[in-house]
Amino acid sequence: MRSRADRIRHAVAFELIGLILITPLGAWVMEMPMHAIGLVALVGSLIATAWNYGYNLVFDRALLRLTGGIAKSQPVRALHAVLFEGGLVLILVPYLAWQLGIPLWQALMMDLGFVGFYLVYAYAFNWAYDTVFPPPGG
């Protein structure tokens, strides 16, 4: 299992790099001011950071219990990313609707754009992170 410090480093690095990438890209694609997307992205990032820490802890514990280890095959990595993003959609859509004053369906469509980005990003980031910082015994 990864240490608490390692999990914090993982979550913070994931969110900081994601923010740097998504804020200008989101403002451009959605034709919204950078500060509006920046605020939504920052608060969403704080929510996602907490979700990231808790989700990865629970996922690794479940993986350890089911398989006896925490090494992730490529299909498990894909499942990991999909479940992470699915949970985050359930959390963030109501926030987006409230913050931007838009209907839930529009917030969902907006969030699906974020999900598309973060689904690919989460897979790539976690692969790179595990390569640079291999899990103990992994």
Side-chain angles (χ1 to χ4, degrees):
M1 294 290 285
R2 291 187 179 275
S3 68
R4 176 175 288 173
D6 188 28
R7 289 182 184 285
I8 291 170
R9 174 180 57 202
H10 175 275
V12 170
F14 181 88
E15 294 306 327
L16 284 177
I17 294 168
L19 270 175
I20 289 166
L21 296 172
I22 199 65
T23 301
L25 181 62
W28 175 67
V29 168
M30 295 175 206
E31 298 178 346
M32 295 183 108
M34 185 94 83
H35 70 274
I37 295 299
L39 176 62
V40 165
L42 178 62
V43 172
S45 174
L46 294 173
I47 292 168
T49 298
W51 172 243
N52 188 333
Y53 180 87
Y55 172 80
N56 283 303
L57 181 63
V58 169
F59 191 93
D60 283 354
R61 284 184 179 166
L63 191 60
L64 182 62
R65 184 175 179 163
L66 292 170
T67 68
I70 59 167
K72 295 175 183 84
S73 65
Q74 295 305 319
V76 170
R77 286 184 186 285
L79 176 66
H80 176 268
V82 168
L83 292 175
F84 176 83
E85 292 302 330
L88 199 53
V89 165
L90 293 175
I91 297 167
L92 288 180
V93 166
Y95 166 71
L96 290 172
W98 172 77
Q99 180 65 43
L100 297 173
I102 58 177
L104 282 172
W105 70 267
Q106 192 175 0
L108 176 62
M109 294 299 109
M110 179 181 281
D111 197 43
L112 290 177
F114 285 125
V115 167
F117 169 82
Y118 273 101
L119 188 58
V120 173
Y121 172 66
Y123 182 89
F125 178 88
N126 284 302
W127 172 78
Y129 189 88
D130 286 349
T131 301
V132 175
F133 303 105

